[in-house]
Amino acid sequence: MSAFREDGAAALDWLASYLEDVLERPVMARVEPGEIRAALPPSPPDAAEPFAAVLRDLDEVLMPGLTHWQSPRYFAYFPSTASDPGILAELLAAGLNQVGILWRASPALQELEEVTLDWLRQLVGLPEPLHGHIEDSASSGLITALSAARAAAPDRRVVVCSEHTHSSTRKAARLLELEVRETPVDDAYALRADDLDLADACAVVATVGTTSSTAFDPVAAVADRAGEAGTWLHVDAAYAGSAAVCPELRHHFVGWERADSVGINPHKWLCVPMDCSAFFTRRPDDLRRAFSLVPEYLRVSEEVVSLSEFSSPLGRRFRALKLWAVLRCHGREGLQAIIREHVRLAALFAQWVGDEPGWELSAPYPFSLVCFRLEGSDERNQELMERVNESGEIFLSHTRLGGRFVLRLAIGNARTSESDVAFAWDVLRREAATLD
Ligand SMILES: Cc1ncc(COP(=O)(O)O)c(C=O)c1O
């Protein structure tokens, strides 16, 4: 057997064992800053080493420094699942090593990306015609959206959003030298459409599924106002957009079909491994106005617009392969079942919290994130989070809502079951009992 086949089989075997046993590992990495660096040789080897040495050091040196996003007991931030078809397709994409700098450089890469994005559009119930392409992240998608908005209205230099917009909106605005104008939120942490001020605004960003609490901004009302003002509407549905594969959850998204652009991260809640962020737009010509720059060496006779004309990078990875594999191997029904189960588990957890004396829910839970806290001081809640995470049994994160420190339990790993959520609740109550 060639070394490639032998090493490949060993790597796949290693990964299969890892995924089988990941539940046994402490979810959050237990290392001090610099510890992993200190365990690594400061210089590269002179002589070639076997691939087995890489696998060995992955186990012995790097493993303690890994936080296990693939663990069913990972509840921090927004979880991400690399499902089996996504992992295998990612391996194939690495082996094929397509570099999509223009259509001719990989016609299949471009056309599969166009088709899979149209499949995703159909799955989430967005209308035609929408142009879709894949970005590495929702943050890059924000830069794309705001660049197009600025190119479409160069005299307007303001971006409007809620105070709960993801920091990527502010970062994109900063890079593009646009001013950010925040709109206040209501009791459910959603943007107040009545308070929108779109004067001089080239763009307004509405979020469905905010990062802090998964609040959903009133997209239809924002779309009305954006339409009147001629302002570009970007809907950031990086986390929650995947939930729109379930028709019964689409009421949270009403109005996004009128957005100028929409971002959804299949690498968050749709079982696609990092990285894969879908970007849809009704105004592809405005994206091209901002980004199209075709140098002589890329000019060809084919009359095809390459995907590199719609955003910043020239070369693109074959990301569509893993999205295609996941959509095919799970199917609409498989993906719906996963999302529905997560939404059910979040409601169940919220019920346990709500019923337990001494605990309180901190925000509505329209999707699969529950924000909650122990009654009492912020310090008590922070100490609880630290103890729970240090136990290694589960991993969760926090936010601030209404100025208070709040715990977030985000359910989104496809391997998470009811027993994992019940386990998390047991760990939380056990650690809370040791606080006073
Ligand atoms: C609502 C929202 N928008 C944007 C982002 C940024 O995502 P990315 O890491 O893909 O840039 C996040 C990340 O969690 C998010 O929750």
Side-chain angles (χ1 to χ4, degrees):
M1 212 179 348
S2 70
F4 182 68
R5 282 185 196 277
E6 208 169 303
D7 292 339
L12 208 56
D13 195 49
W14 184 94
L15 201 51
S17 302
Y18 169 77
L19 292 173
E20 278 159 24
D21 300 340
V22 66
L23 192 63
E24 311 301 323
R25 299 182 186 274
V27 189
M28 187 180 80
R30 281 174 160 165
V31 287
E32 296 300 320
E35 204 176 315
I36 297 294
R37 195 179 314 123
L40 290 164
S43 322
D46 288 327
E49 296 183 55
F51 188 75
V54 175
L55 271 188
R56 184 198 61 224
D57 286 353
L58 181 53
D59 258 329
E60 293 176 7
V61 182
L62 298 182
M63 189 55 82
L66 294 179
T67 291
H68 298 288
W69 287 72
Q70 291 281 60
S71 169
R73 294 180 180 168
Y74 181 104
F75 300 106
Y77 314 111
F78 285 130
S80 168
T81 309
S83 65
D84 295 355
I87 296 170
L88 296 175
E90 189 75 304
L91 174 69
L92 295 172
L96 293 167
N97 199 27
Q98 298 293 285
V99 183
I101 52 179
L102 73 169
W103 178 85
R104 175 184 281 203
S106 183
L109 176 153
Q110 169 149 346
E111 294 184 15
L112 186 69
E113 186 162 329
E114 289 163 348
V115 169
T116 48
L117 271 265
D118 195 58
W119 284 13
L120 183 63
R121 176 194 66 72
Q122 295 172 48
L123 283 171
V124 299
L126 280 167
E128 285 185 284
L130 271 191
H131 185 274
H133 72 265
I134 302 180
E135 302 254 356
D136 59 355
S137 63
S139 302
S140 296
L142 254 306
I143 296 172
T144 301
L146 298 193
S147 300
R150 193 181 66 168
D155 298 336
R156 304 183 183 185
R157 309 293 293 184
V158 175
V159 177
V160 177
C161 55
S162 100
E163 63 186 85
H164 279 272
T165 197
H166 187 265
S167 53
S168 50
T169 298
R170 288 188 190 86
K171 192 187 274 190
R174 190 166 78 192
L175 288 172
L176 295 166
E177 297 186 342
L178 299 170
E179 181 195 324
V180 172
R181 182 184 298 143
E182 279 186 4
T183 308
V185 292
D186 62 18
D187 292 345
Y189 307 106
L191 178 151
R192 285 181 192 275
D194 289 347
D195 290 335
L196 269 180
D197 171 6
L198 296 183
D200 296 326
C202 61
V204 53
V205 177
T207 307
V208 181
T210 58
T211 315
S212 267
S213 69
T214 66
F216 49 99
D217 292 338
V219 180
V222 178
D224 288 344
R225 294 288 308 281
E228 286 157 21
T231 301
W232 184 289
L233 168 59
H234 179 73
V235 172
D236 179 358
Y239 151 73
S242 301
V245 300
C246 300
E248 72 276 19
L249 295 171
R250 287 204 192 136
H251 58 102
H252 299 307
F253 298 84
V254 171
W256 74 334
E257 68 284 354
R258 287 190 276 146
D260 297 289
S261 54
V262 175
I264 302 173
N265 277 10
H267 74 230
K268 279 188 166 42
W269 203 9
L270 213 61
C271 303
V272 179
M274 268 296 276
D275 48 2
C276 179
S277 181
F279 188 98
F280 293 105
T281 184
R282 285 195 296 130
R283 295 170 61 173
D285 290 345
D286 285 304
L287 265 66
R288 285 186 74 195
R289 195 163 299 132
F291 290 106
S292 181
L293 201 165
V294 184
E296 181 55 39
Y297 80 104
L298 297 176
R299 287 180 199 259
V300 287
S301 52
E302 299 97 34
E303 290 198 6
V304 184
V305 180
S306 296
L307 289 177
S308 57
E309 293 189 44
F310 297 93
S311 62
S312 163
L314 174 65
R316 56 200 312 108
R317 305 208 301 120
F318 201 177
R319 293 192 181 90
L321 196 66
K322 59 188 171 182
L323 179 59
W324 188 53
V326 166
L327 298 184
R328 291 183 64 183
C329 299
H330 288 273
R332 182 196 300 267
E333 291 166 4
L335 295 169
Q336 286 174 336
I338 290 168
I339 301 261
R340 284 184 181 131
E341 178 63 357
H342 291 168
V343 172
R344 184 187 78 81
L345 292 176
L348 189 63
F349 181 79
Q351 190 190 328
W352 295 336
V353 173
D355 289 347
E356 187 82 0
W359 296 77
E360 59 194 26
L361 292 166
S362 309
Y365 44 93
F367 299 107
S368 68
L369 167 75
V370 182
C371 293
F372 64 104
R373 68 195 306 283
L374 269 176
E375 284 168 5
S377 68
D378 288 352
E379 291 70 27
R380 219 166 154 247
N381 280 280
Q382 186 158 3
E383 178 61 24
L384 173 63
M385 183 179 81
E386 250 123 61
R387 285 194 196 185
V388 159
N389 288 342
E390 274 162 24
S391 81
E393 293 162 296
I394 61 171
F395 179 33
L396 45 77
S397 58
H398 78 283
T399 188
R400 267 185 195 276
L401 293 174
R404 307 303 308 265
F405 187 97
V406 163
L407 301 169
R408 293 168 76 265
L409 186 106
I411 299 167
N413 190 290
R415 298 175 177 87
T416 299
S417 65
E418 184 170 332
S419 65
D420 297 308
V421 179
F423 178 81
W425 183 221
D426 287 345
V427 172
L428 280 158
R429 283 181 301 169
R430 185 194 72 210
E431 293 299 327
T434 66
L435 276 179
D436 302 311

